[in-house]
Amino acid sequence: MSFGQANAKWRRGVLALVLGMALASCAPGSFQIGSRTLGWGEPAGNVGGGNTGTLTPTPMPQSGGEVFGRGPVPVALLLPLSGDQSLAAVGTSLANASKLAVAFIEANPNIAENITITLRDTGDRPAGAINAANAAVAGGAKLILGPLRGDQVAAVANVARGAGVPLIGFSNNPSTAGQGVYLLSVLPDMEMKRALTYVKAQGRRGLAGAFPATPYGEALATAFRQQAVAAGFGAPAVYTFSGPGEAAQIVAQAKQQIDRGMIDAFFIPERASAPAFAAALASAGVTGDAVQIVGSADWAGDATINATPGLAGAIYPAVDEAGFNAIAGDYQAKFGSRPHPLATIAYTATILANVNTLSMANPPYNPGLLTGASGFNGRDGAFRFLTSGRAEYALVVKKVGAGGAATVDGAKL
């Protein structure tokens, strides 16, 4: 199978990625659909964000059975392909990305074909994910990739642990990680670590953050507190809100400390409420020179964020877009639509599952190899799994400007 001569340059780039993964693995060692945020188990929202394109669910097998790959090691891919249409559209995009990765493996004579993937539908409920996981175990899977939502990952984790099968989930809910359960996603603590390290280097000294009163917001607030201490800041001011209408009240509470120079960096990670907080800060006479506004990876590609005057100069951590851009053209050509930004996770997971030193190990995908300190290189950049099951990613820092967001600091762990 070939993608054609026009893709030769891209293939060489991905081959370097795959070989890098193989070498690295030898080392010891509010459910929100935005641009990058997914997995908290609440009702699905709009599949949008600035660069997602239009996704339409394609009919897929309800209980599994679609098989791709020709290798000896069975791997299960668990994704929502039915039920809620928005969620199924994301699941379909991830399934397609996995197929694209397998096609790349098959097209490269320098890469061994080690895995066969069985795609299984989880639907949009934990019960569906449990059924899919039980079928995967019964089918002899040595590794489970997915599911997508946090509640489904938590449900499948029990099945996987009971069978001794490692699981690499796609949720960004850190509470679902643990022994034998790894999360291949950008987690709140990593976002906060990257952003806080950057603002510290820029000379900022006092922190405040406003977080929604949701499970996702609570996880962000916890990560904010913990990473602020780790970065050497004093205890930050933390505010909780129920809706954007409370932004002016929170800014009024913080204003005295801002005026005294005790707060010079304000974290507003929720994409939907960020414009309201920017407007409240501007109305209070707070300038960007006095207070650095800091967002989250959920801001990436959002047209409203980029078009809000009060957010000009704001920064946020994000995955490097180079990996997404590298596969977007081939995905469009093969499947007739633009991939969801999370498609890079499924692509990376598939290539990772095929790596010789992981798939052909005895036992395959054992913790000592998966948690090697050197980590791996994936479509979203360098990453490594911790023994806790959480992942650390090398993230860039972007700054919002008139023409959109531009990278101001390269990818770093």
Side-chain angles (χ1 to χ4, degrees):
M1 185 183 298
S2 172
F3 295 156
Q5 292 181 343
N7 294 319
K9 182 176 180 181
W10 176 75
R11 284 191 200 166
R12 288 195 295 272
V14 182
L15 178 58
L17 173 147
V18 175
L19 293 177
M21 292 173 73
L23 290 173
S25 67
C26 294
S30 66
F31 168 82
Q32 292 180 311
I33 304 181
S35 291
R36 294 294 312 175
T37 309
L38 185 62
W40 289 80
E42 296 175 7
N46 175 45
V47 180
N51 59 357
T52 60
T54 300
L55 297 174
T56 303
T58 303
M60 292 290 228
Q62 297 299 301
S63 60
E66 183 174 6
V67 177
F68 44 98
R70 302 180 294 217
V73 180
V75 173
L77 176 62
L78 275 52
L79 290 170
L81 306 171
S82 63
D84 181 275
Q85 293 241 330
S86 296
L87 187 62
V90 182
T92 299
S93 188
L94 269 66
N96 288 343
S98 180
K99 295 174 187 176
L100 193 67
V102 167
F104 165 74
I105 292 168
E106 292 175 345
N108 266 280
N110 296 321
I111 302 175
E113 297 178 33
N114 294 327
I115 59 172
T116 294
I117 291 182
T118 300
L119 176 63
R120 298 187 182 277
D121 181 14
T122 65
D124 55 11
R125 303 293 178 188
I130 291 173
N131 290 339
N134 282 329
V137 170
K142 302 300 182 185
L143 176 69
I144 294 174
L145 304 178
L148 194 55
R149 284 171 48 148
D151 55 354
Q152 291 188 326
V153 173
V156 169
N158 295 325
V159 176
R161 287 194 185 105
V165 177
L167 184 152
I168 298 177
F170 302 152
S171 166
N172 69 340
N173 185 336
S175 68
T176 60
Q179 182 180 4
V181 177
Y182 307 91
L183 296 182
L184 187 60
S185 48
V186 177
L187 302 176
D189 49 353
M190 194 60 222
E191 290 188 56
M192 289 299 173
K193 178 181 177 181
R194 183 68 177 96
L196 285 161
T197 300
Y198 181 79
V199 298
K200 179 82 169 180
Q202 299 303 303
R204 303 291 171 169
R205 301 178 307 279
L207 307 175
F211 304 91
T214 63
Y216 178 56
E218 291 171 8
L220 286 167
T222 297
F224 179 58
R225 291 187 180 97
Q226 292 174 344
Q227 295 299 329
V229 172
F233 288 97
V238 175
Y239 304 95
T240 302
F241 61 90
S242 299
E246 299 173 21
Q249 179 183 351
I250 289 174
V251 169
Q253 293 178 43
K255 185 65 163 57
Q256 184 177 12
Q257 289 179 286
I258 292 173
D259 290 343
R260 294 167 59 187
M262 298 175 66
I263 293 175
D264 58 5
F266 206 110
F267 283 64
I268 45 176
E270 189 191 50
R271 175 166 48 100
S273 59
F277 277 96
L281 286 165
S283 295
V286 178
T287 67
D289 290 336
V291 174
Q292 174 67 66
I293 295 176
V294 186
S296 71
D298 194 37
W299 285 23
D302 187 87
T304 300
I305 292 290
N306 292 333
T308 300
L311 292 176
I315 62 166
Y316 61 89
V319 297
D320 192 332
E321 297 170 347
F324 176 86
N325 292 335
I327 68 169
D330 288 281
Y331 185 104
Q332 177 82 39
K334 190 174 181 68
F335 301 108
S337 63
R338 191 165 173 81
H340 189 277
L342 288 171
T344 50
I345 293 180
Y347 191 103
T348 294
T350 302
I351 298 293
L352 181 68
N354 190 72
V355 168
N356 286 343
T357 50
L358 296 176
S359 58
M360 306 308 289
N362 187 19
Y365 311 109
N366 69 72
L369 296 175
L370 283 171
T371 60
S374 297
F376 308 93
N377 286 306
R379 272 294 167 212
D380 290 324
F383 71 95
R384 60 189 171 215
F385 289 123
L386 306 178
T387 55
S388 65
R390 300 185 182 192
E392 288 188 328
Y393 270 93
L395 302 178
V396 302
V397 174
K398 289 183 168 288
K399 178 179 284 188
V400 179
T407 298
V408 293
D409 199 33
K412 296 175 185 175
L413 279 166

